[in-house]
Amino acid sequence: MHWALRICRSIGRVGRESRPFQAMAAQSSTLPVQNGRDAITAGIIIIGDEILKGLTQDTNSFFMCRKLRSLGVKVARISVVPDDVDTIATEISSFAAKFTYVLTSGGIGPTHDDVTFEAVAKAFGEQVCPHPELVALVHRFFGKMDVHCPEMKLAHVPESSLLNYGTDKRTGDAMKYPLVSVRNVYVFPGIPVLMERALEGLGHLFRNEQTRFYSREIYVSADETLLAPMLNQANACFGHHTHLGSYPDWVNNYYRVRLTLDSESEQHLEEAYSFLMQNLHPALIVPLVTDPVARAATDVYALAESGSALGQKVAAALRTMEEALGRFSLAQICVGFNGGKDCTALLHLFHAAVQRYHLRLCTVQGHIQQALADLKAQQPQLQAVLMGTRRTDPYSRTLTPMCMTDPGWPEYMRVNPLLDWTYRDIWQFLRTLFVPYCILYDKGYTSLGSMSNTQKNPALRYTNALGQESYQPAYLLENEEEERTSRH
């Protein structure tokens, strides 16, 4: 079922609707005064006991905020309320008086806890009654005409309700089921896929051509405490027109703080951005690639064609992969991945080679020999396995880029694109392309095995400014021969 709105279409249909809806329709155009300002604002009300109890994660408010912002609408507040008529009605009444638009999500359906329509009616002092057009739609979709059947609850809406039909962005056709609005309140479904489809199809209702939001981001490899004085100065100089946000991230591989700049003026935004870039030490600014997977094919092949020492190894690895892809179909190839740095580099290379991630995850436990046997039993069509093996790994010095598994092992063609890569090559590849990797490598671990035999590498240990023992990240290990000294 699709829920959607289009005011102009519903007004055109008023003549065919019952008299109570026709009499009340004019009230829906009333919008709250924005305190003498031209700002177009929205308040979002998420309705559902399951959200407040932690049984369901709310994703609807996130989607709504992003979509409304792209339409020039500033989301001023988000509220989460239970499935209680009085509570919902009170919140709707408050929001409707403060914001240009109110978007609710949830509480629409045939069961006892679907009370949003009743709450909206109570907020505006109205009654809930059957809407003729909705009654016809319920009959059309569900084949029901009994006014007391559960499905007919969907047709009982506040008496001043407008039915607005959007456009399905997937097909370009008008949506078959409307979304109800009452004055400046728009009642969206709680099911994410339906809510998203409805809002995408109804963007014209909320679009504000007078406002455009501009934004910038700066990624910094320093803690917030070191940045605070400069950020305070920037806020004092530019805060009247540009909002400055500072968001720490303790588990990112490449930065510690993400700075955001938002403004309705591109000029003011650029002035604040220039100030920060001039006052931040260049070494602290991270030129982060935020979506390295989407750019994998372009960036990996550009590196392969760069002529650098690493580029030559990337090119050789790609040739090995392409040879394997020439001999085996994708259905016959699997990629061995255990979460380590080498396999992470391998997976990124493979993605660049095939230019898509249509991979099915098969998890097998235990030692690699038994795991490969179990995998062969589960997927007998597999004939080749890409491995992140390097020549410095145990028992790997005599391997070739493509070779069969040893006698006694499950029969696979082992494809080893990284065989001649060094420890430093792996890290240079990952960090040059900003590929995310296991955070343990930033905590002093250089080689990951099992929980029982993996420890932080003592070669990375140092005493920090507070006199505390700490560890440098794995990519700073100087002597590659010490990579496995922490494995026992």
Side-chain angles (χ1 to χ4, degrees):
M1 188 186 308
H2 300 170
W3 292 79
L5 303 167
R6 196 175 77 183
I7 285 179
C8 60
R9 184 169 178 180
S10 64
I11 291 175
R13 295 184 175 189
V14 164
R16 295 194 285 111
E17 296 173 354
S18 59
R19 183 167 296 276
F21 296 97
Q22 182 178 5
M24 299 293 291
Q27 297 183 18
S28 67
S29 62
T30 303
L31 297 177
V33 176
Q34 296 297 308
N35 299 321
R37 300 176 60 187
D38 294 329
I40 302 299
T41 59
I44 297 172
I45 303 174
I46 304 298
I47 300 165
D49 290 345
E50 69 277 15
I51 303 296
L52 294 170
K53 293 177 181 178
L55 302 176
T56 301
Q57 184 174 2
D58 167 45
T59 60
N60 288 348
S61 60
F62 175 77
F63 182 89
M64 286 178 164
C65 286
R66 293 193 63 166
K67 182 61 180 179
L68 289 169
R69 182 176 175 81
S70 73
L71 296 171
V73 178
K74 178 181 179 181
V75 175
R77 190 171 304 172
I78 300 174
S79 176
V80 182
V81 296
D83 297 310
D84 176 75
V85 172
D86 290 337
T87 303
I88 300 169
T90 299
E91 200 77 337
I92 288 174
S93 179
S94 173
F95 274 42
K98 294 175 182 176
F99 310 124
T100 314
Y101 305 112
V102 180
L103 287 74
T104 73
S105 174
I108 302 173
T111 62
H112 68 285
D113 57 351
D114 294 314
V115 295
T116 299
F117 286 141
E118 291 92 327
V120 173
K122 185 169 185 176
F124 295 120
E126 300 182 15
Q127 299 296 316
V128 171
C129 50
H131 191 298
E133 190 167 336
L134 291 178
V135 169
L137 286 170
V138 168
H139 176 63
R140 175 184 173 188
F141 284 109
F142 301 106
K144 301 293 181 68
M145 286 299 293
D146 182 1
V147 295
H148 300 296
C149 71
E151 292 86 352
M152 199 58 71
K153 187 175 182 179
L154 296 168
H156 286 68
V157 295
E159 52 194 342
S160 70
S161 294
L162 294 178
L163 307 184
N164 303 298
Y165 292 76
T167 301
D168 190 329
K169 296 299 183 181
R170 301 171 305 168
T171 64
D173 298 330
M175 289 185 173
K176 298 178 181 179
Y177 205 95
L179 190 111
V180 173
S181 65
V182 180
R183 306 191 189 188
N184 63 332
V185 178
Y186 297 81
V187 186
F188 285 82
I191 298 174
V193 65
L194 297 182
M195 183 281 299
E196 293 174 11
R197 190 179 303 163
L199 186 52
E200 286 286 359
L202 294 162
H204 60 281
L205 290 179
F206 309 102
R207 185 177 301 281
N208 173 25
E209 299 290 354
Q210 284 68 48
T211 300
R212 179 178 175 184
F213 297 107
Y214 299 90
S215 62
R216 285 269 208 170
E217 292 182 330
I218 303 174
Y219 297 90
V220 185
S221 60
D223 293 331
E224 269 191 317
T225 51
L226 297 177
L227 303 176
M230 191 226 9
L231 296 181
N232 291 337
Q233 184 181 358
N235 189 60
C237 294
F238 306 100
H240 297 296
H241 301 288
T242 301
H243 180 267
L244 173 61
S246 176
Y247 307 100
D249 190 332
W250 293 354
V251 295
N252 192 276
N253 301 127
Y254 298 100
Y255 70 89
R256 291 292 172 264
V257 177
R258 176 170 63 99
L259 302 177
T260 63
L261 295 165
D262 295 282
S263 179
E264 295 180 28
S265 164
E266 187 173 16
Q267 178 181 344
H268 288 138
L269 177 85
E270 292 303 322
E271 289 173 355
Y273 177 78
S274 296
F275 174 87
L276 291 175
M277 293 297 286
Q278 291 169 10
N279 285 274
L280 283 167
H281 193 286
L284 298 179
I285 300 173
V286 179
L288 187 72
V289 175
T290 56
D291 191 355
V293 172
R295 293 177 43 170
T298 299
D299 291 352
V300 168
Y301 277 89
L303 180 57
E305 296 167 2
S306 67
S308 66
L310 177 61
Q312 293 176 29
K313 291 190 175 182
V314 171
L318 289 172
R319 285 195 296 270
T320 298
M321 287 185 177
E322 289 163 357
E323 181 182 350
L325 289 168
R327 293 176 60 177
F328 304 98
S329 70
L330 282 175
Q332 296 173 312
I333 298 176
C334 64
V335 181
F337 182 81
N338 62 4
K341 60 187 183 298
D342 301 328
C343 289
T344 300
L346 174 72
L347 186 60
H348 199 70
L349 280 164
F350 186 69
H351 171 54
V354 300
Q355 299 187 7
R356 59 187 182 271
Y357 261 136
H358 293 311
L359 305 178
R360 182 169 60 171
L361 178 64
C362 298
T363 304
V364 287
Q365 304 290 339
H367 186 271
I368 185 171
Q369 184 173 0
Q370 184 59 48
L372 287 173
D374 294 343
L375 183 62
K376 177 73 78 170
Q378 296 174 19
Q379 307 288 334
Q381 81 282 1
L382 293 176
Q383 297 183 33
V385 55
L386 276 75
M387 307 292 286
T389 305
R390 289 185 287 123
R391 208 174 291 281
T392 53
D393 292 337
Y395 316 111
S396 302
R397 292 191 179 279
T398 60
L399 294 179
T400 58
M402 295 185 67
C403 55
M404 295 301 297
T405 48
D406 294 339
W409 281 60
E411 189 172 295
Y412 288 93
M413 175 65 74
R414 289 186 58 173
V415 183
N416 305 304
L418 308 182
L419 195 59
D420 293 317
W421 287 38
T422 66
Y423 177 89
R424 189 166 287 107
D425 291 333
I426 294 292
W427 281 117
Q428 187 181 356
F429 176 81
L430 293 175
R431 293 190 62 83
T432 295
L433 301 182
F434 294 97
V435 179
Y437 53 84
C438 177
I439 193 63
L440 290 176
Y441 288 115
D442 289 335
K443 306 296 183 182
Y445 297 89
T446 54
S447 180
L448 303 181
S450 68
M451 294 181 65
S452 61
N453 71 354
T454 303
Q455 298 178 0
K456 294 182 178 182
N457 196 321
L460 294 173
R461 186 168 51 218
Y462 73 101
T463 303
N464 64 23
L466 299 177
Q468 301 168 335
E469 181 181 281
S470 190
Y471 287 83
Q472 294 178 312
Y475 62 85
L476 293 180
L477 182 69
E478 295 181 0
N479 184 359
E480 296 191 12
E481 296 182 358
E482 297 179 320
E483 174 186 358
R484 293 178 171 272
T485 56
S486 56
R487 293 277 291 274
H488 301 286

